[in-house]
Amino acid sequence: MTILHLRRARTSLVLDARGPGLPRVVHWGGDVGDLDDDALRHLVDATVPPVVPSSFDEPPALSLLPEASAGWSGRPGLAGHRDGRDWSTSFRLDGWDVRDSSTDPGHLTAGGEVVGVLPADGGHGGPGAALLTVRASDPAAGLTLTSEIMLDPHGLLTVRHRLRNDGDGVYEVRELTPVLPVPAVATELLDLTGRWCRERSPQRHPWPHGAWVREGRHGRTGHDATLLLVAGTAGFGFGHGEVWAVHTAWSGDHVTVAERRPTGESTLGGGELLAPGEIRLAPGESYETPLLYAVWSDDGLDGLSDVLHAHLRARPGHPRSPRPVTLNVWEAVYFDHDLDRLRALADRAAHLGVERFVLDDGWFRGRRDDTAGLGDWYVDEGVWPDGLQPLIGHVTGQGLQFGLWVEPEMVNPDSDLFRAHPDWLLAVPGRLPPAWRNQQVLDLGRPEAYDYVRERLDALLSEHRGISYLKWDQNRDLTEAGHHGRPGVHGQTLAVYRLLDELRGRHPDVEIESCSSGGARVDLAILARTDRVWASDCNDALERLSIQRWTGLLLPPELIGTHIGPERSHTTHRVHDLGFRAATALFGHHGIEWDIASISAAEQAELAAWVALHKRLRPLLHAGRVVRVDHPDPAVWAHGVVDHDNTRAVYAVARLTTSVAQVPGAVRLPGLDPARRYRVRQVADVPAPATIERSAPPWLASGVTLTGAALARVGVQLPALHPEQSLVLEVDAVG
Ligand code: DGJ
């Protein structure tokens, strides 16, 4: 029997592996039940498309690597050649093996050969994952293909291809992209785009014929990264609709594609975007694609997040300790580093309940502003005559963890490092890439540059007592990123991963944040080696509501840094009440980015109350199921987190702007057990927002008791909020 059926949670993947070519993907989506061999054969037969006029005489067989030789006339899964030959393949199936990782959690094997170690990249599996390895070759083209497919216990699928050159001479890979078919019922696409301070803006449209190709050529994940490319049934929302989505887990140039063919097929895929000549395989060498994550749900976008969040939370390296409330001093002091002022900030932070203090940019040699110093990773003796230890000691003495900002991949031309090694750059010979924030990118593919950076970071962590966190920043695109005259983004991306992996190996207790001009490096490959992301440099709570909502499609709240900024946002100049800022920052890895030394006693008291509220709710916020409300009025947003045994939840309702209707309609609170009764009330720990006069219902403070079904289907009428105000509701099961 060679029809493979992988089933986990509510998802099925059915592959027709009877050969002779690559397995045809018969179905990826909802569980089709426990099918015996006969039923599987019938399923395969029933899903073969008809032969139509003016077409191939055999219906095309769509595999995870579509080939023209199998009748595919869309984007090919593999584009490559050997000096103009071997440009089209016809892979023959050599074999496959499928295993359950709970019986063999250590290794990913193919035909007895160990091809990977679980979870080497942090993405693969956990106990109970189904692991399928497919081996194929095209002897005429001199190529061998190994595909690793994993369906984890939550229904999350990952696919990765490895291509080996077994022929004579160099084989150049131009593109190798795994794809998955989605059925014709998916007629709309949603993905994300953005820019600095406006990351992860959704864009949505019908899915026409052709290819919707999202390319990122930033040499980093990018502010405009797709994050998830979602295809779904008409009108899908957070809580309804059938949806299929993919994520390309790669922090360099990458492509994510939705293709719909007039021949009737629709696919989602993603892989690395390779420059000409970037991957040239010598005989015996291999190229491996990034992992393509794929997830299905018939519960709308929240259902996708359920699977993704459960997968991420099950990773062995997922942060387990309570996420420390963080003060980051960037917007408080910028480059103005002064020991006494920073100590005072730490004292105030400790008083307010903060648990981690992060010293941002500006502590190292020559770094008085953003024109100089990157690369010189020595403490600036002028600003810090006694080094950083007096501050670290003070911070840790207050019971806070200490974190330090670094930007290891970069160099300013105005630095000792650049003056000594002007050639250690990613560049095209004879010219510098255009400057960006006065900086260039170090070529970490050069062993001497890599060793220097690793040694400096290692020394910083070893020589100081008490640095337990790095804010790892990356503030420019890789432009004309040449390495010894050849394209260098692929090698640089792998070198960054290796650097992170080595440092984590040497300093396993140090947590690392992935920051990149705010949120330009948010992907599951960087998150396999870091502990949270900085979602955006925009701390404006109104903008943040959207940035966090959409970042949260992929990531659970505990991985998303969310800080309370100052009353007037530094990036938008909007002014917001503390309550609105704090309610927005509550739903993430909470922190503060504000000059708290200069705030009033009343603000201190309120801020401390919000920090305490976050700590009280943190076990729920950082482990529960995220739900987002499809409210008919676009001015009203609501979201919440429900614990896994449906006994508690917390929701926030935000008014973004005014509405045409005076009363926008009851807010439904989904996600609870329909049969249980719950008490709903405004959180009592923090001041209530100053709602429009007389509009607050009498039950708001004392509570109202309703079933989960009533809350989901009827909802509750809330007070009339002013624009840019939020209300936080706490929900507890009764009895
Ligand atoms: C960009 C980051 O996103 C900011 O938070 C801050 O760390 C600056 N870089 C420092 O240069």
Side-chain angles (χ1 to χ4, degrees):
M1 183 65 206
T2 45
I3 298 170
L4 304 168
H5 184 193
L6 309 187
R7 288 176 77 201
R8 288 295 185 275
R10 299 168 59 218
T11 297
S12 279
L13 176 73
V14 182
L15 299 172
D16 179 359
R18 291 176 296 184
L22 293 173
R24 173 166 85 90
V25 186
V26 176
H27 169 73
W28 164 50
D31 182 25
V32 291
D34 186 11
L35 304 185
D36 61 17
D37 294 355
D38 206 37
L40 280 173
R41 251 193 310 273
H42 281 275
L43 182 67
V44 170
D45 291 346
T47 55
V48 173
V51 173
V52 291
S54 186
S55 178
F56 299 108
D57 295 339
E58 294 272 336
L62 184 57
S63 71
L64 298 167
L65 186 110
E67 297 173 289
S69 58
W72 176 247
S73 49
R75 298 179 89 248
L78 169 65
H81 66 102
R82 190 188 308 280
D83 196 19
R85 296 178 179 275
D86 300 335
W87 52 276
S88 189
T89 58
S90 179
F91 282 104
R92 304 289 90 180
L93 186 62
D94 292 333
W96 50 265
D97 64 59
V98 65
R99 293 169 309 103
D100 185 322
S101 71
S102 34
T103 53
D104 182 10
H107 295 112
L108 188 55
T109 58
E113 177 201 358
V114 177
V115 295
V117 179
L118 302 169
D121 54 15
H124 256 121
L131 305 164
L132 168 65
T133 306
V134 175
R135 288 168 283 117
S137 58
D138 181 343
L143 296 170
T144 300
L145 180 76
T146 307
S147 302
E148 293 164 8
I149 298 131
M150 182 209 64
L151 187 60
D152 92 341
H154 313 284
L156 178 117
L157 187 67
T158 58
V159 183
R160 174 161 67 192
H161 295 314
R162 187 180 310 106
L163 185 76
R164 193 174 66 203
N165 176 14
D166 286 331
D168 297 328
V170 168
Y171 182 86
E172 179 181 350
V173 183
R174 295 290 290 113
E175 183 170 347
L176 181 58
T177 307
V179 302
L180 284 156
V182 297
V185 292
T187 55
E188 289 180 14
L189 292 179
L190 167 78
D191 66 353
L192 306 172
T193 181
R195 58 165 170 85
W196 180 71
C197 275
R198 178 76 193 251
E199 292 87 342
R200 287 167 280 289
S201 287
Q203 46 186 5
R204 183 169 180 155
H205 50 88
W207 191 357
H209 286 167
W212 175 251
V213 182
R214 294 297 320 281
E215 294 184 338
R217 297 177 189 275
H218 305 286
R220 54 177 169 171
T221 322
H223 293 104
D224 63 344
T226 311
L227 198 77
L228 275 192
L229 177 52
V230 184
T233 49
F236 67 83
F238 286 109
H240 59 92
E242 190 174 2
V243 278
W244 292 254
V246 293
H247 166 79
T248 310
W250 187 246
S251 317
D253 293 347
H254 63 287
V255 60
T256 310
V257 188
E259 185 171 20
R260 165 161 272 183
R261 308 275 312 140
T263 40
E265 306 90 349
S266 303
T267 57
L268 296 177
E272 192 177 358
L273 199 57
L274 297 168
E278 187 154 30
I279 299 293
R280 290 167 51 81
L281 301 178
E285 284 184 347
S286 297
Y287 167 76
E288 186 172 86
T289 66
L291 283 175
L292 179 72
Y293 284 73
V295 52
W296 167 88
S297 158
D298 60 358
D299 287 329
L301 298 169
D302 284 355
L304 297 179
S305 297
D306 278 351
V307 176
L308 287 157
H309 295 181
H311 169 82
L312 292 169
R313 285 172 168 163
R315 299 172 306 161
H318 193 75
R320 304 263 169 240
S321 60
R323 302 292 71 215
V325 176
T326 298
L327 175 78
N328 186 299
V329 302
W330 177 240
E331 290 199 1
V333 302
Y334 290 105
F335 291 103
D336 187 9
H337 285 197
D338 172 82
L339 179 58
D340 289 337
R341 187 168 171 205
L342 290 162
R343 276 197 198 123
L345 275 170
D347 293 346
R348 178 64 55 82
H351 176 70
L352 296 176
V354 168
E355 297 159 310
R356 175 184 279 160
F357 176 102
V358 179
L359 182 64
D360 210 283
D361 195 356
W363 57 268
F364 47 97
R365 253 184 220 164
R367 189 67 167 176
R368 305 295 4 108
D369 54 35
D370 69 7
T371 63
L374 290 173
D376 295 343
W377 301 111
Y378 298 88
V379 179
D380 190 292
E381 298 84 348
V383 181
W384 298 93
D386 301 315
L388 291 178
Q389 205 60 55
L391 179 64
I392 300 173
H394 187 83
V395 167
T396 53
Q398 294 276 14
L400 275 68
Q401 299 176 22
F402 183 86
L404 190 66
W405 180 95
V406 289
E407 194 178 359
E409 298 143 72
M410 298 294 160
V411 61
N412 285 119
D414 185 0
S415 67
D416 293 342
L417 181 68
F418 183 85
R419 283 183 280 274
H421 303 288
D423 54 333
W424 282 9
L425 292 188
L426 279 175
V428 164
R431 60 176 183 263
L432 284 181
W436 179 315
R437 207 190 188 206
N438 314 298
Q439 65 196 59
Q440 296 290 350
V441 188
L442 278 178
D443 181 359
L444 297 178
R446 282 176 178 260
E448 59 279 27
Y450 179 95
D451 289 348
Y452 166 79
V453 174
R454 187 198 47 202
E455 186 280 324
R456 279 291 79 221
L457 293 172
D458 189 29
L460 277 170
L461 294 174
S462 306
E463 287 165 8
H464 292 96
R465 287 179 312 283
I467 302 177
S468 55
Y469 182 79
L470 289 180
K471 177 178 177 181
W472 185 298
D473 207 344
Q474 196 283 25
N475 282 306
R476 68 157 293 167
D477 279 7
L478 275 55
T479 314
E480 285 205 305
H483 164 77
H484 295 313
R486 303 267 301 278
V489 171
H490 174 80
Q492 181 79 358
T493 308
L494 292 179
V496 171
Y497 291 163
R498 187 155 57 91
L499 185 58
L500 282 159
D501 293 343
E502 273 197 62
L503 280 168
R504 285 169 72 89
R506 289 173 191 219
H507 304 277
D509 296 332
V510 173
E511 291 196 2
I512 301 179
E513 169 176 65
S514 172
C515 173
S516 180
S517 322
R521 193 144 70 183
V522 176
D523 64 77
L524 294 185
I526 203 74
L527 269 162
R529 31 190 67 83
T530 52
D531 300 283
R532 73 169 216 173
V533 299
W534 183 226
S536 179
D537 276 348
C538 184
N539 289 316
D540 173 324
L542 183 65
E543 303 286 333
R544 270 293 184 134
L545 273 175
S546 174
I547 292 167
Q548 291 167 201
R549 165 173 278 201
W550 291 105
T551 306
L553 201 56
L554 181 70
L555 303 184
E558 64 272 21
L559 296 182
I560 305 173
T562 58
H563 292 179
I564 300 172
E567 186 179 27
R568 180 181 289 280
S569 158
H570 287 198
T571 55
T572 65
H573 284 222
R574 271 200 200 99
V575 172
H576 288 132
D577 291 347
L578 177 53
F580 184 59
R581 283 139 56 206
T584 302
L586 184 70
F587 287 77
H589 182 173
H590 193 61
I592 300 169
E593 189 132 350
W594 181 17
D595 184 3
I596 50 173
S598 65
I599 66 178
S600 68
E603 284 174 315
Q604 286 178 52
E606 188 177 342
L607 187 53
W610 279 101
V611 169
L613 174 67
H614 175 80
K615 288 181 179 173
R616 180 169 74 74
L617 296 175
R618 181 165 56 186
L620 164 63
L621 290 166
H622 291 174
R625 286 186 48 233
V626 173
V627 291
R628 287 148 291 214
V629 177
D630 295 298
H631 196 280
D633 186 334
V636 177
W637 274 25
H639 53 267
V641 180
V642 183
D643 76 352
H644 285 278
D645 58 7
N646 283 315
T647 54
R648 288 178 77 198
V650 56
Y651 295 87
V653 182
R655 167 166 284 287
L656 275 52
T657 178
T658 60
S659 296
V660 179
Q662 274 189 327
V663 177
V667 176
R668 294 174 170 181
L669 302 178
L672 297 158
D673 181 343
R676 286 179 88 168
R677 284 154 54 88
Y678 296 91
R679 180 159 168 253
V680 184
R681 65 201 155 94
Q682 185 171 296
V683 287
D685 324 44
V686 290
T691 52
I692 289 175
E693 207 185 342
R694 292 184 292 119
S695 75
W699 61 262
L700 203 58
S702 55
V704 67
T705 301
L706 294 166
T707 60
L711 287 168
R713 298 201 179 121
V714 182
V716 287
Q717 285 285 4
L718 293 169
L721 297 169
H722 294 286
E724 298 167 23
Q725 276 190 334
S726 287
L727 192 73
V728 181
L729 299 170
E730 201 166 359
V731 177
D732 292 288
V734 180

